Amino acid sequence: MNALMDDNSFEVVVVGGGAAGLSAALILGRSRRRTLVVDAGEPRNAPSGHMQGYLSRDGMAPAEFLAAGRRELLAYGVEVRPGEVTAAAADGDGFALTLADGTALAARRLVVATGLVDELPEIGGLAERWGRDVLHCPFCHGWEVRDRPLGVVAHPAMPAHQALMVSHLSSDVTLFLDGAELTGQDARLLAAAGVRTVEGAVEAVAVEDDRLTGVRLADGRAVGCEVLFAAGTRLLPRDGVLRQLGAEGYETPFGTFVKVDEAGRTSVPGVWAAGNVTGPAEQVVNAAGAGYRAGAVLHGELLMGDLAARADGLEG
C-alpha cells in the first residue's frame, strides 16, 4: 500500500506538532503507518520556561520536550513538516488538505491536535508578563510560586474557582473581581479559605525592575501581589480544520470545543482529535496520553477494515 503513495499522500496526517500530535504520530509510526505531522510551530506553552507534572519530564523546557519528541519520530519514518493546514475536505474515503504554501496533501485518516490560543484579558502590561509572573494554571506553576503573595483576576463565569484553587498554595491570596459577581456560596468558601476580595475594574499590572509588584485598578487604587493568575483568559481552540470538516462541538464555560469519544473520534468518520482542541483542561501529560490512545485506535480500525476488505475479496 505505501509503495503506491506519492510524496504528498499518507495513510495518516497529524495536524499539530505538540504533545498530542507527536504522541499520536509516534504510535502510528511504530505501527508502520505512513504518517506526516504538519506543525505550525505555535505551541501554547511556548512562553513558559518549564513544564510541570509530566512524570520523568517535570521541569523540562517545552521547546526541549518537543524537540526530543520530533527526534524520536525519525526512527519510525514519520515525517514532520513545518506549515499550516488552511483547507480540509472529505475526498472519497479519505481527505484532501491544502497547506498555506499551496501544497496539496492526501490522507486516509486525520488526527487534529492543533491546541488552543489564550486570549488574555485587556489589562495593561498583562501580555508582557505572560508565562513569567502572570500565570493561568496552579498545577503547572503553583509549586514554583508557593507562599508568595498571589493575585487572581476572576473569571466571569466561575469567579471564585481559581482563587480557591490557589488558596492551598499561599496564605496571602487576593481575588480581583473585575466586574464579576459572587454567589453567597462563593463568598462563604472564599472566607473559609482566607481569600481577600477586591471590587473594581482591573486596569493594569504594576511592574518594577522587571518584577510584578501588584495590580492597578481603574479608580486609581494599587493592590500588591507578586504573582497574578489570569483566570479571565479566554480559551480559543484552533479548530478551523475541524469546523471545515463539520465536526460537532460542545459548550463549556470557557468556550466551544470539538466533541470526541473516549478514543478521540470526532463526529466525522475518519477524523480523530486530541489535546487542547478537545477541551480546556488538557495538560501536556493528558494531551500526550490522548494522542497515544487516538493513534492506537486509529491504527487498529484501519488494520481491521483493510483485513475485512481483503477477506471479502478472497471469498469473492
Side-chain angles (χ1 to χ4, degrees), residues 90-136:
D91 183 20
D93 61 354
F95 301 92
L97 307 177
T98 304
L99 303 186
D101 64 4
T103 300
L105 302 174
R108 294 182 66 191
R109 299 292 184 268
L110 297 179
V111 177
V112 180
T114 39
L116 60 78
V117 176
D118 295 283
E119 185 179 81
L120 302 181
E122 294 184 3
I123 295 171
L126 198 73
E128 291 78 5
R129 310 302 302 179
W130 184 243
R132 300 168 65 190
D133 40 27
V134 173
L135 309 171
H136 75 289

Coordinates of all heavy atoms in Angstrom, one line a residue, residues 90-136:
A90 N -13.4 16.3 2.8 CA -13.5 14.8 2.5 C -13.3 14.6 1.0 O -13.6 15.4 0.2 CB -14.9 14.3 2.9
D91 N -12.6 13.5 0.7 CA -12.2 13.2 -0.6 C -12.3 11.7 -0.8 O -11.4 11.0 -0.5 CB -10.8 13.7 -1.0 CG -10.4 13.5 -2.4 OD1 -11.3 13.3 -3.3 OD2 -9.2 13.5 -2.7
G92 N -13.5 11.2 -1.3 CA -13.7 9.8 -1.4 C -13.7 9.2 0.0 O -14.5 9.7 0.9
D93 N -12.9 8.2 0.3 CA -12.9 7.6 1.6 C -11.7 8.2 2.4 O -11.3 7.6 3.5 CB -12.8 6.1 1.6 CG -11.6 5.6 0.9 OD1 -10.8 6.4 0.3 OD2 -11.4 4.4 0.8
G94 N -11.2 9.3 2.0 CA -10.1 9.9 2.7 C -10.3 11.4 2.7 O -11.4 11.9 2.7
F95 N -9.2 12.2 2.8 CA -9.3 13.6 2.9 C -8.2 14.3 2.1 O -7.1 13.8 1.8 CB -9.0 14.0 4.4 CG -10.0 13.4 5.3 CD1 -9.8 12.1 5.9 CD2 -11.3 14.0 5.6 CE1 -10.7 11.5 6.7 CE2 -12.2 13.3 6.4 CZ -11.9 12.1 7.0
A96 N -8.6 15.5 1.6 CA -7.7 16.4 0.8 C -7.4 17.6 1.7 O -8.3 18.2 2.2 CB -8.4 16.8 -0.5
L97 N -6.1 17.9 1.8 CA -5.7 19.0 2.6 C -4.9 20.0 1.8 O -4.2 19.6 0.8 CB -4.8 18.6 3.8 CG -5.4 17.5 4.7 CD1 -4.4 17.1 5.8 CD2 -6.7 18.0 5.4
T98 N -4.9 21.3 2.1 CA -4.1 22.3 1.5 C -3.4 23.0 2.5 O -3.9 23.5 3.5 CB -4.9 23.2 0.6 OG1 -5.7 22.5 -0.3 CG2 -4.0 24.2 -0.1
L99 N -2.0 23.2 2.3 CA -1.2 24.0 3.2 C -1.2 25.4 2.8 O -1.5 25.8 1.7 CB 0.2 23.4 3.3 CG 0.3 22.0 3.7 CD1 1.8 21.6 3.8 CD2 -0.4 21.6 4.9
A100 N -0.7 26.3 3.7 CA -0.7 27.7 3.5 C 0.2 28.1 2.3 O -0.1 29.0 1.6 CB -0.2 28.5 4.7
D101 N 1.2 27.2 2.0 CA 2.1 27.5 0.8 C 1.5 26.9 -0.5 O 2.2 26.9 -1.5 CB 3.5 27.0 1.1 CG 3.5 25.4 1.2 OD1 2.5 24.8 1.1 OD2 4.6 24.9 1.5
G102 N 0.3 26.3 -0.4 CA -0.3 25.8 -1.6 C -0.1 24.3 -1.8 O -0.7 23.7 -2.7
T103 N 0.7 23.6 -1.0 CA 0.9 22.2 -1.1 C -0.4 21.4 -0.9 O -1.1 21.7 0.1 CB 2.0 21.7 -0.1 OG1 3.2 22.4 -0.4 CG2 2.2 20.2 -0.2
A104 N -0.6 20.5 -1.7 CA -1.8 19.6 -1.6 C -1.4 18.3 -1.0 O -0.4 17.7 -1.4 CB -2.5 19.4 -2.9
L105 N -2.2 17.8 0.0 CA -1.9 16.6 0.7 C -3.1 15.7 0.6 O -4.2 16.2 0.6 CB -1.5 16.8 2.1 CG -0.3 17.7 2.5 CD1 -0.3 17.9 4.0 CD2 1.0 17.1 1.9
A106 N -2.9 14.4 0.6 CA -4.0 13.4 0.7 C -3.7 12.5 1.8 O -2.6 12.1 2.1 CB -4.0 12.6 -0.6
A107 N -4.8 12.1 2.6 CA -4.7 11.3 3.7 C -5.9 10.4 3.8 O -7.0 10.8 3.5 CB -4.6 12.1 5.0
R108 N -5.6 9.1 4.2 CA -6.8 8.2 4.5 C -7.5 8.7 5.8 O -8.7 8.6 5.9 CB -6.3 6.8 4.6 CG -5.7 6.2 3.4 CD -5.3 4.7 3.6 NE -6.5 3.9 3.9 CZ -6.4 2.6 4.3 NH1 -5.2 2.1 4.5 NH2 -7.5 1.9 4.5
R109 N -6.7 9.1 6.8 CA -7.3 9.4 8.1 C -6.5 10.7 8.6 O -5.4 11.0 8.2 CB -7.1 8.3 9.1 CG -7.8 7.0 8.7 CD -9.3 7.2 8.8 NE -10.0 5.9 8.5 CZ -10.4 5.5 7.3 NH1 -10.1 6.3 6.2 NH2 -11.0 4.4 7.1
L110 N -7.2 11.4 9.5 CA -6.7 12.6 10.1 C -6.7 12.5 11.6 O -7.6 12.0 12.2 CB -7.5 13.9 9.7 CG -7.5 14.2 8.2 CD1 -8.4 15.5 8.1 CD2 -6.2 14.5 7.7
V111 N -5.6 13.1 12.2 CA -5.6 13.4 13.7 C -5.4 14.9 13.8 O -4.4 15.4 13.3 CB -4.5 12.6 14.4 CG1 -4.5 13.0 15.9 CG2 -4.7 11.1 14.3
V112 N -6.3 15.6 14.4 CA -6.2 17.0 14.6 C -5.8 17.3 16.0 O -6.6 17.0 17.0 CB -7.5 17.7 14.2 CG1 -7.4 19.2 14.4 CG2 -7.9 17.4 12.8
A113 N -4.7 17.9 16.2 CA -4.2 18.2 17.6 C -3.6 19.6 17.6 O -2.4 19.8 17.9 CB -3.1 17.1 17.9
T114 N -4.4 20.6 17.2 CA -4.0 21.9 16.9 C -4.0 22.8 18.2 O -3.6 24.0 18.1 CB -4.8 22.5 15.8 OG1 -6.2 22.1 16.0 CG2 -4.3 22.1 14.5
G115 N -4.5 22.3 19.3 CA -4.4 23.0 20.5 C -5.3 24.2 20.6 O -6.4 24.3 19.9
L116 N -4.9 25.2 21.4 CA -5.7 26.4 21.6 C -4.8 27.6 21.8 O -3.6 27.5 22.0 CB -6.7 26.3 22.8 CG -6.2 26.0 24.2 CD1 -5.7 27.3 24.8 CD2 -7.3 25.4 25.0
V117 N -5.5 28.8 21.8 CA -4.8 30.1 22.0 C -5.4 30.7 23.2 O -6.6 30.7 23.4 CB -4.9 31.0 20.8 CG1 -4.3 32.4 21.1 CG2 -4.3 30.4 19.5
D118 N -4.6 31.3 24.1 CA -5.0 32.0 25.2 C -5.2 33.5 24.8 O -4.3 34.2 24.5 CB -4.0 31.9 26.4 CG -3.9 30.5 26.9 OD1 -4.8 30.1 27.7 OD2 -2.9 29.9 26.6
E119 N -6.5 33.9 24.9 CA -6.8 35.3 24.6 C -6.9 36.0 25.9 O -7.8 35.8 26.7 CB -8.1 35.5 23.8 CG -8.4 36.9 23.4 CD -9.7 37.0 22.6 OE1 -10.7 37.1 23.3 OE2 -9.6 37.1 21.4
L120 N -5.9 36.9 26.2 CA -5.7 37.4 27.6 C -6.7 38.6 27.8 O -7.1 39.3 26.8 CB -4.3 37.9 27.8 CG -3.2 36.9 27.7 CD1 -1.9 37.6 27.9 CD2 -3.4 35.7 28.6
P121 N -7.1 38.8 29.0 CA -8.0 40.0 29.3 C -7.3 41.3 28.9 O -6.0 41.3 28.9 CB -8.2 39.9 30.8 CG -7.9 38.5 31.2 CD -6.9 38.0 30.2
E122 N -8.0 42.3 28.6 CA -7.4 43.6 28.2 C -7.0 44.4 29.4 O -7.7 45.3 29.8 CB -8.4 44.3 27.3 CG -8.7 43.7 26.0 CD -9.6 44.5 25.1 OE1 -10.0 45.6 25.5 OE2 -10.0 44.0 24.0
I123 N -5.9 43.9 29.9 CA -5.3 44.6 31.1 C -3.9 45.0 30.8 O -3.1 44.2 30.2 CB -5.3 43.6 32.3 CG1 -6.7 43.2 32.7 CG2 -4.5 44.1 33.5 CD1 -6.8 42.1 33.7
G124 N -3.6 46.3 31.0 CA -2.3 46.8 30.6 C -1.1 46.0 31.1 O -1.1 45.8 32.4
G125 N -0.2 45.7 30.3 CA 1.0 45.0 30.7 C 0.9 43.5 30.9 O 1.9 42.8 31.2
L126 N -0.3 43.0 30.8 CA -0.5 41.6 31.2 C 0.2 40.6 30.2 O 0.9 39.7 30.6 CB -2.0 41.3 31.2 CG -2.5 40.0 31.9 CD1 -2.3 40.2 33.4 CD2 -3.9 39.6 31.5
A127 N 0.1 40.9 28.9 CA 0.7 40.0 27.9 C 2.2 39.9 28.0 O 2.8 38.9 27.8 CB 0.3 40.5 26.5
E128 N 2.8 41.0 28.4 CA 4.3 41.1 28.5 C 4.8 40.2 29.6 O 5.9 39.7 29.6 CB 4.8 42.5 28.7 CG 4.6 43.4 27.5 CD 3.2 43.9 27.3 OE1 2.3 43.6 28.2 OE2 2.9 44.6 26.3
R129 N 3.9 39.9 30.6 CA 4.3 39.1 31.8 C 3.9 37.7 31.7 O 4.1 36.8 32.6 CB 3.8 39.7 33.1 CG 4.0 41.2 33.3 CD 5.5 41.6 33.3 NE 6.3 40.9 34.3 CZ 7.6 41.0 34.4 NH1 8.2 41.9 33.6 NH2 8.2 40.4 35.4
W130 N 3.1 37.3 30.6 CA 2.5 36.0 30.5 C 3.6 34.9 30.5 O 4.6 35.0 29.8 CB 1.7 36.0 29.2 CG 0.9 34.7 28.9 CD1 1.1 33.8 27.9 CD2 -0.2 34.2 29.7 NE1 0.2 32.8 28.0 CE2 -0.6 33.0 29.1 CE3 -0.8 34.7 30.8 CZ2 -1.7 32.3 29.6 CZ3 -1.9 33.9 31.3 CH2 -2.3 32.7 30.7
G131 N 3.3 33.9 31.3 CA 4.3 32.8 31.4 C 5.4 33.0 32.3 O 6.2 32.2 32.6
R132 N 5.5 34.2 32.9 CA 6.6 34.6 33.8 C 6.0 34.7 35.3 O 6.1 33.8 36.1 CB 7.2 35.9 33.4 CG 7.9 35.7 32.0 CD 8.3 37.0 31.4 NE 9.4 37.6 32.2 CZ 9.8 38.9 32.0 NH1 9.2 39.7 31.1 NH2 10.8 39.4 32.7
D133 N 5.4 35.9 35.5 CA 4.7 36.1 36.8 C 3.2 36.4 36.6 O 2.5 36.7 37.6 CB 5.3 37.1 37.7 CG 5.8 38.3 36.9 OD1 5.2 38.6 35.9 OD2 6.8 39.0 37.4
V134 N 2.7 36.3 35.4 CA 1.3 36.2 35.1 C 1.0 34.8 34.6 O 1.6 34.4 33.5 CB 0.8 37.3 34.1 CG1 -0.6 37.0 33.7 CG2 1.0 38.7 34.7
L135 N 0.2 34.0 35.3 CA 0.1 32.6 35.0 C -1.4 32.2 34.9 O -2.3 33.1 35.0 CB 0.7 31.8 36.2 CG 2.1 32.2 36.6 CD1 2.5 31.5 37.9 CD2 3.1 31.9 35.4
H136 N -1.6 30.9 34.6 CA -3.0 30.5 34.4 C -3.4 29.2 35.1 O -4.6 29.0 35.4 CB -3.4 30.3 32.9 CG -2.8 29.1 32.3 ND1 -1.4 28.9 32.1 CD2 -3.4 27.9 31.9 CE1 -1.2 27.7 31.6 NE2 -2.4 27.1 31.5

